[in-house]
């Protein structure tokens, strides 16, 4: 999708260091990390939020990618977050799963 920053990252229009890549997904470090490890996993195909994902292959590929990323980095304890909609804190409207690790994380989130 035009003017989507994460589409541009996924299709390599914007050079990024991918932590992980497979047929359906890429993962890269968050620009503004909220923990020592803060990685975003996104589908290569554009869906503006979880509400729009209509492909079960991509749904499972995203979670498989989270497993692969954490395995690759040797991270056993981490938080995954999907913000859906402005009120939930979504600011980039291309679905992404946050992986946060490396410090104690409080609950409930703000
Ligand atoms: P959201 O608030 O939508 O759940 O998360 C969006 C995340 O994307 C934020 O944590 C923000 O720091 C990150 N982000 C926004 N623009 C960029 C970018 O151009 N590159 C990277 N690597 N992360 C970005
Ligand atoms: Zn996009």
């Amino acid at each position: 999708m035009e003017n989507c920053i994460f589409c541009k990252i996924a299709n390599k229009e914007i050079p990024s260091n991918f932590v992980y890549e497979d047929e359906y997904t890429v993962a890269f470090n968050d620009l503004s990390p909220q923990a020592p490890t803060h990685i975003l996993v996104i589908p290569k195909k554009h869906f503006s939020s979880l509400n729009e994902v209509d492909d079960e292959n991509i749904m499972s590929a995203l979670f498989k990618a989270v497993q692969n990323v954490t395995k690759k980095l040797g991270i056993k304890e981490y938080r995954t977050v999907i913000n859906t909609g402005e009120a939930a804190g979504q600011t980039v409207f291309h679905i992404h799963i946050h992986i946060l690790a490396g410090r104690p994380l409080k609950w409930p989130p703000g």
Side-chain angles (χ1 to χ4, degrees), residues 19-97:
V19 175
Y20 172 84
E21 179 174 12
D22 63 33
E23 186 182 351
Y24 297 108
T25 73
V26 295
F28 50 91
N29 289 309
D30 196 291
L31 192 63
S32 172
Q34 301 303 310
T37 298
H38 187 171
I39 292 166
L40 302 173
V41 177
I42 69 170
K44 290 180 173 174
K45 188 174 172 190
H46 181 90
F47 298 95
S48 45
S49 81
L50 182 58
N51 292 334
E52 279 75 36
V53 181
D54 58 2
D55 182 332
E56 288 180 16
N57 288 324
I58 290 176
M59 201 77 96
S60 61
L62 284 168
F63 281 94
K64 192 69 212 170
V66 170
Q67 273 192 338
N68 288 337
V69 167
T70 52
K71 230 179 255 175
K72 186 175 170 184
L73 300 182
I75 301 168
K76 293 211 168 64
E77 296 184 308
Y78 54 91
R79 180 171 294 169
T80 45
V81 174
I82 303 175
N83 295 322
T84 303
E86 275 175 31
Q90 188 176 4
T91 57
V92 176
F93 286 81
H94 178 130
I95 187 185
H96 46 282
I97 303 180

